Amino acid sequence: MSDTISHPVFAINHIAAPKMTPAEFFQLAKSLGLSDVEIRNDLNDNAIIDGTPAAEVRAAAAEAGVRIATINALQRFNEWTPEREREAIELADYARDVGASALVLVPVNDGSGQTDGERQANLRTALTALKPILEQRGLMGFVEPLGFEICSLRSKREAVEAIEAVGGHGRFKLVHDTFHHHLAGEPELFPAMTGLVHISGVTDPDVSVSDMRDPHRVLVDADDRLGNIGQMRALLDQGYAGPFSFEPFAPEVQDLENPSEAISASMDTIKAGLV
């Protein structure tokens, strides 16, 4: 097995330790030997939502020696309205000022905008409008299809086709989320079009795939039902060289007093599985 396979590049999303301040979170990443982090705009009582200036967050990241890979996320991005445009500009400005490389783009996930024809058109409209916003700020847009049955963008192929249709190569890439990939049941991987991989596991033996939700998402361990190791191996084998970012939403992970130990154990499990 190649050296790449046994040494994936790990990153961490702030959702793994949402009660930590950005500075504490960056130090957690540093303690784990990670150089890439993702910050979020949906954590109550925390940057970005509490109005912490981008310069302050940027300085804390620099002090810890970590790179802000993404801000997660512009929600409902494929429902393009004047309000969404304002949100996108505001978030893209913050991403630029904080030193982030990319903005994660999350689709409408409430059962609307799903009909054939409508959803593809909505997606192209949004990508076309986002392209200059991102270009002007030197940012990438990472499109994240969600596997939930009510989502307006479940298919990575559909996302790739839309990116190609709007001439978005070099500006847009995919987020491959191991949880959502499993739920969507789409076998195809698009490693060359993938900018980021989100990893989380589901270990609850009783929940059906169609009933899996964010609170089921724990750190990847030996009991994982999502085939994280297989997905990661396939991506690495096919040339993906970007980060694998821990994104667990389960309260039992988020409430850990010292998440460092648990995340480190998960990294060891994954590395052993990939060898």
Side-chain angles (χ1 to χ4, degrees):
M1 198 61 76
S2 77
D3 196 45
T4 315
I5 293 300
S6 56
H7 293 96
V9 176
F10 289 111
I12 186 171
N13 188 298
H14 203 163
I15 205 71
K19 292 169 185 170
M20 289 184 170
T21 65
E24 291 166 342
F25 169 62
F26 299 153
Q27 290 298 332
L28 168 67
K30 184 183 182 178
S31 76
L32 288 162
L34 308 180
S35 55
D36 289 296
V37 295
E38 294 186 87
I39 60 173
R40 304 181 69 91
N41 64 329
D42 61 355
L43 298 182
N44 287 328
D45 306 318
N46 219 324
I48 306 159
I49 220 168
D50 69 356
T52 305
E56 202 176 298
V57 179
R58 184 176 189 147
E63 193 178 325
V66 297
R67 186 178 76 98
I68 298 174
T70 77
I71 291 184
N72 194 331
L74 178 65
Q75 299 287 343
R76 304 180 74 89
F77 86 92
N78 56 338
E79 178 185 68
W80 199 255
T81 61
E83 182 199 1
R84 195 75 59 250
E85 183 177 29
R86 279 194 300 275
E87 277 178 37
I89 289 169
E90 196 177 309
L91 203 52
D93 281 346
Y94 197 99
R96 174 198 61 206
D97 295 345
V98 85
S101 309
L103 199 51
V104 174
L105 307 171
V106 172
V108 173
N109 187 43
D110 62 7
S112 65
Q114 281 194 297
T115 57
D116 207 27
E118 177 196 13
R119 65 173 191 273
Q120 293 91 340
N122 287 348
L123 181 55
R124 284 164 171 72
T125 298
L127 293 176
T128 300
L130 276 162
K131 200 174 148 204
I133 294 172
L134 295 168
E135 270 168 3
Q136 286 156 20
R137 293 157 183 85
L139 297 168
M140 293 291 293
F142 288 170
V143 179
E144 181 164 25
L146 305 182
F148 299 128
E149 287 163 17
I150 58 168
C151 187
S152 60
L153 177 59
R154 299 186 75 205
S155 160
K156 285 196 279 288
R157 169 160 292 289
E158 214 162 88
V160 169
E161 286 170 356
I163 289 166
E164 286 169 350
V166 305
H169 270 296
R171 189 56 54 193
F172 296 103
K173 286 198 166 185
L174 302 177
V175 176
H176 175 108
D177 184 297
T178 57
F179 172 82
H180 289 296
H181 180 76
H182 187 83
L183 266 59
E186 183 181 26
E188 216 169 343
L189 303 170
F190 296 88
M193 282 297 292
T194 301
L196 175 70
V197 178
H198 280 154
I199 56 176
S200 60
V202 174
T203 56
D204 183 340
D206 301 320
V207 63
S208 69
V209 172
S210 62
D211 286 334
M212 287 179 182
R213 295 293 180 266
D214 281 342
H216 295 110
R217 298 172 65 177
V218 294
L219 294 166
V220 179
D221 66 14
D223 298 322
D224 174 42
R225 292 177 54 193
L226 304 180
N228 269 272
I229 305 275
Q231 290 187 49
M232 291 175 72
R233 184 182 287 122
L235 283 160
L236 289 164
D237 275 346
Q238 292 176 40
Y240 174 73
F244 293 90
S245 183
F246 286 97
E247 195 190 34
F249 286 82
E252 62 263 37
V253 178
Q254 298 181 344
D255 292 339
L256 286 171
E257 207 55 51
N258 176 22
S260 179
E261 210 173 301
I263 295 165
S264 188
S266 184
M267 284 163 61
D268 288 344
T269 299
I270 291 166
K271 285 189 273 199
L274 287 172
V275 173

